Amino acid sequence: MKNIITIILLCLTSSIFAQEQKDLFSIEKGTWSLEGNFRINTTDREFEEINDESSFSFGFSPKVGYAINKNLILGLGLSYGYAKNDIENLQNFDTSQQITNAFGFFPYLTKFFPIGEKFAFNIQAEARYSNTSSTTENDFGGGPSETETNRNSYGVSVRPGINYQLSETVLLQASFGSLGYTHNIRDFENSNLNQERTNTFGLNLGTSSLFFGFMILL
């Protein structure tokens, strides 16, 4: 009798566990994914009636991936970013404006960790190349001037995210922060400097690391 009860309990436990596993968030092997992330930021600052500063930036990043295993996606992404910064001296009316455009691509690997039927955390590791060009126009007392810079960046990073499954094929996504290493080569035109090389390793928790997006499963 005891053996029969034990077998029944084991069967019930296995059935409940299997049901719980089945109900968890899951992206099956062989699934294709399309993603799109977007960010936008605007800031206005005034320093005691001396300087008036304003900035505007946005960026987006489409990605295509393939699930090489359950909840594990390998893919390739592209990126574009735009930024405009204006500074005006409210006392002598000197002005400065910088416009920046950035393009890049990055292979990535994303691992999902289910925390419910519709929610999952994810960790994305990526290797990235980007090219950034900036033009700065100054109009000071000595007359207008223009400086151009071009920067090539190579790096690796890891970023966390969270996902919500709206339907079987559509996910909402958000990511904030990144940890990584970047090597920059910066070339200057119309400047006393010719080239600058920098190496950066650190944690980014600024608004530039905040992305909202979506994923479509195919």
Side-chain angles (χ1 to χ4, degrees), residues 110-137:
T110 304
K111 175 63 176 177
F112 295 84
F113 301 91
I115 55 174
E117 182 180 357
K118 294 183 178 296
F119 283 96
F121 286 116
N122 73 270
I123 297 294
Q124 177 172 300
E126 61 187 45
R128 181 181 293 266
Y129 164 78
S130 64
N131 175 267
T132 304
S133 59
S134 298
T135 300
T136 303
E137 296 181 352

Side-chain angles (χ1 to χ4, degrees), residues 61-161:
S61 176
K63 298 186 289 185
V64 59
Y66 180 78
I68 59 176
N69 210 336
K70 182 177 180 179
N71 291 331
L72 183 64
I73 290 180
L74 177 66
L76 178 67
L78 303 175
S79 64
Y80 171 73
Y82 170 86
K84 179 181 179 182
N85 297 279
D86 291 290
I87 301 176
E88 180 181 2
N89 188 303
L90 300 177
Q91 295 180 336
N92 56 25
F93 303 105
D94 288 344
T95 62
S96 176
Q97 181 183 89
Q98 182 181 69
I99 295 178
T100 301
N101 290 277
F103 303 87
F105 66 89
F106 54 96
Y108 67 92
L109 184 67
T110 304
K111 175 63 176 177
F112 295 84
F113 301 91
I115 55 174
E117 182 180 357
K118 294 183 178 296
F119 283 96
F121 286 116
N122 73 270
I123 297 294
Q124 177 172 300
E126 61 187 45
R128 181 181 293 266
Y129 164 78
S130 64
N131 175 267
T132 304
S133 59
S134 298
T135 300
T136 303
E137 296 181 352
N138 298 316
D139 190 357
F140 298 151
S145 64
E146 181 177 296
T147 301
E148 296 182 1
T149 63
N150 187 71
R151 183 179 65 194
N152 292 295
S153 300
Y154 309 84
V156 292
S157 64
V158 177
R159 64 180 70 247

Side-chain angles (χ1 to χ4, degrees), residues 10-216:
L10 288 174
C11 289
L12 288 174
T13 302
S14 300
S15 176
I16 292 172
F17 180 77
Q19 183 65 35
E20 289 179 348
Q21 291 294 317
K22 183 179 179 180
D23 290 341
L24 287 177
F25 176 100
S26 178
I27 297 176
E28 297 301 323
K29 180 180 178 180
T31 302
W32 286 91
S33 66
L34 297 176
E35 299 180 58
N37 294 328
F38 179 78
R39 62 175 172 81
I40 186 169
N41 184 52
T42 181
T43 304
D44 288 291
R45 295 186 295 266
E46 184 175 323
F47 295 91
E48 297 180 354
E49 299 183 355
I50 298 176
N51 280 346
D52 186 12
E53 298 185 13
S54 63
S55 63
F56 170 77
S57 65
F58 73 88
F60 61 87
S61 176
K63 298 186 289 185
V64 59
Y66 180 78
I68 59 176
N69 210 336
K70 182 177 180 179
N71 291 331
L72 183 64
I73 290 180
L74 177 66
L76 178 67
L78 303 175
S79 64
Y80 171 73
Y82 170 86
K84 179 181 179 182
N85 297 279
D86 291 290
I87 301 176
E88 180 181 2
N89 188 303
L90 300 177
Q91 295 180 336
N92 56 25
F93 303 105
D94 288 344
T95 62
S96 176
Q97 181 183 89
Q98 182 181 69
I99 295 178
T100 301
N101 290 277
F103 303 87
F105 66 89
F106 54 96
Y108 67 92
L109 184 67
T110 304
K111 175 63 176 177
F112 295 84
F113 301 91
I115 55 174
E117 182 180 357
K118 294 183 178 296
F119 283 96
F121 286 116
N122 73 270
I123 297 294
Q124 177 172 300
E126 61 187 45
R128 181 181 293 266
Y129 164 78
S130 64
N131 175 267
T132 304
S133 59
S134 298
T135 300
T136 303
E137 296 181 352
N138 298 316
D139 190 357
F140 298 151
S145 64
E146 181 177 296
T147 301
E148 296 182 1
T149 63
N150 187 71
R151 183 179 65 194
N152 292 295
S153 300
Y154 309 84
V156 292
S157 64
V158 177
R159 64 180 70 247
I162 189 168
N163 307 266
Y164 175 73
Q165 193 164 23
L166 286 176
S167 67
E168 291 184 0
T169 58
V170 179
L171 279 66
L172 288 181
Q173 299 180 307
S175 65
F176 179 76
S178 64
L179 177 66
Y181 165 81
T182 304
H183 174 68
N184 294 306
I185 303 174
R186 189 178 182 185
D187 297 304
F188 298 84
E189 296 182 15
N190 303 324
S191 173
N192 293 327
L193 295 175
N194 292 320
Q195 189 178 85
E196 177 187 61
R197 293 174 179 263
T198 60
N199 294 285
T200 304
F201 178 82
L203 176 66
N204 180 10
L205 295 177
T207 55
S208 62
S209 68
L210 176 61
F211 285 87
F212 295 97
F214 60 89
M215 174 189 287
I216 298 176

